[in-house]
Amino acid sequence: AATKRALVHGDVSPKNILVGPHGPLLLDAECAWYGDPAFDVAFCLNHLLLKCVWRPEWREQYMHCFEIFTETYGQAVSWEPWAALEQRVAHLLPGLLLGRIDGKSPVEYLTKEYDRALVRRVAVALLQQPVEALADLLHVWQKETE
């Protein structure tokens, strides 16, 4: 809450991103505030990880999107070292995973308790043993959700 670096969209999910002729266009910015841009990155990556559980047949594609999003976003960061922002994203993401399972706005598509328990288990493990890089987080996710 104390980090005030950029305008944060607040709802960067795949459904709110259109691909336009000049790049992505973000929709539905009614949740925007001035704060930590790590939230937007973690919020979008959170959706991609949860979709891996929802649609396991597309798991590899979702994880590839995670990698491409991370790489592309990281290359565009100019206001601070990418490693510092990436670390905050990696620390925030497990909490967002839990929030979408047991919080006030759970994802409606993970209805099986087995799937919800899987997300909880991985998120708690990442909270207990945080990683500093998103590639490491994705590796843990991949290993634990196989």
Side-chain angles (χ1 to χ4, degrees):
T3 303
K4 307 286 186 208
R5 287 201 171 88
L7 181 62
V8 177
H9 181 276
D11 194 11
V12 179
S13 68
K15 69 178 181 169
N16 286 337
I17 303 172
L18 294 179
V19 178
H22 304 291
L25 176 66
L26 300 179
L27 306 174
D28 295 336
E30 71 272 4
C31 298
W33 78 91
Y34 192 70
D36 189 350
F39 181 85
D40 281 341
V41 179
F43 196 83
C44 191
L45 295 177
N46 184 44
H47 279 278
L48 295 173
L49 293 180
L50 292 172
K51 301 282 192 216
C52 291
V53 177
W54 180 50
R55 293 283 188 238
E57 67 273 19
W58 299 335
R59 181 175 181 263
E60 295 302 317
Q61 290 90 333
Y62 285 123
M63 288 191 300
H64 182 67
C65 288
F66 182 107
E67 292 170 324
I68 295 299
F69 184 100
T70 301
E71 179 184 328
T72 305
Y73 193 95
Q75 290 172 358
V77 172
S78 60
W79 57 90
E80 68 179 299
W82 165 239
L85 178 60
E86 180 182 26
Q87 180 186 39
R88 293 195 314 276
V89 173
H91 290 181
L92 180 58
L93 190 46
L96 291 179
L97 286 165
L98 282 178
R100 294 310 307 264
I101 296 301
D102 294 316
K104 291 183 179 182
S105 180
V107 291
E108 66 283 351
Y109 50 84
L110 290 182
T111 57
K112 298 176 188 167
E113 184 51 37
Y114 171 81
D115 291 339
R116 297 167 64 77
L118 174 66
V119 173
R120 276 187 206 104
R121 182 174 50 80
V122 178
V124 168
L126 285 165
L127 286 169
Q128 291 174 335
Q129 294 184 7
V131 297
E132 307 302 310
L134 290 169
D136 295 336
L137 188 144
L138 186 60
H139 177 74
V140 169
W141 179 264
Q142 185 173 18
K143 183 177 136 195
E144 296 295 326
T145 61
E146 286 182 320

